[in-house]
Amino acid sequence: MVKVRDLGLGFNSDEIVLFKYCSGSCHRTRSNYDLTLGSLLRQQLISPGPRERVLSHPCCRPTRYEAVSFMDVQNTWQTVEKLSAAECSCIG
């Protein structure tokens, strides 16, 4: 449960909404790509640039989203599409 104004989307509202997100490990679904990338990184045969973050495993990400509706301080209903995670899966 978070305040709408804390979502960082520029909406001025004191309402509280349910923001569902994905988290968790995806190590069980690692592919040959993930295994090879991890090995090359450990051996320092490849290295990311100074501002890059290389992940050698799939990421738990939303695969389906839900819209969230709320009333702003102007008493106007707002709907934000694809805001909250409805389903999650290992992607990558």
Side-chain angles (χ1 to χ4, degrees):
M1 302 297 285
V2 296
K3 287 184 181 179
V4 170
R5 70 176 76 250
D6 293 336
L7 294 173
L9 299 175
F11 291 103
N12 190 10
S13 175
D14 293 322
E15 284 205 36
I16 295 175
V17 296
L18 177 61
F19 176 76
K20 295 184 273 184
Y21 58 94
C22 301
S23 66
S25 173
C26 292
H27 292 286
R28 287 192 308 267
T29 59
R30 293 175 66 177
S31 68
N32 287 331
Y33 169 84
D34 301 313
L35 296 170
T36 299
L37 180 60
S39 177
L40 293 173
L41 288 168
R42 279 190 302 281
Q43 296 176 66
Q44 297 181 342
L45 295 174
I46 60 173
S47 59
R51 294 187 178 174
E52 291 178 318
R53 182 173 175 231
V54 178
L55 297 176
S56 62
H57 57 83
C59 300
C60 186
R61 297 280 302 165
T63 55
R64 193 169 64 81
Y65 297 87
E66 294 175 345
V68 174
S69 296
F70 56 90
M71 189 173 286
D72 64 18
V73 295
Q74 306 295 326
N75 292 327
T76 303
W77 281 102
Q78 302 285 344
T79 299
V80 179
E81 299 293 331
K82 295 184 178 181
L83 177 66
S84 192
E87 289 180 9
C88 301
S89 186
C90 292
I91 306 293

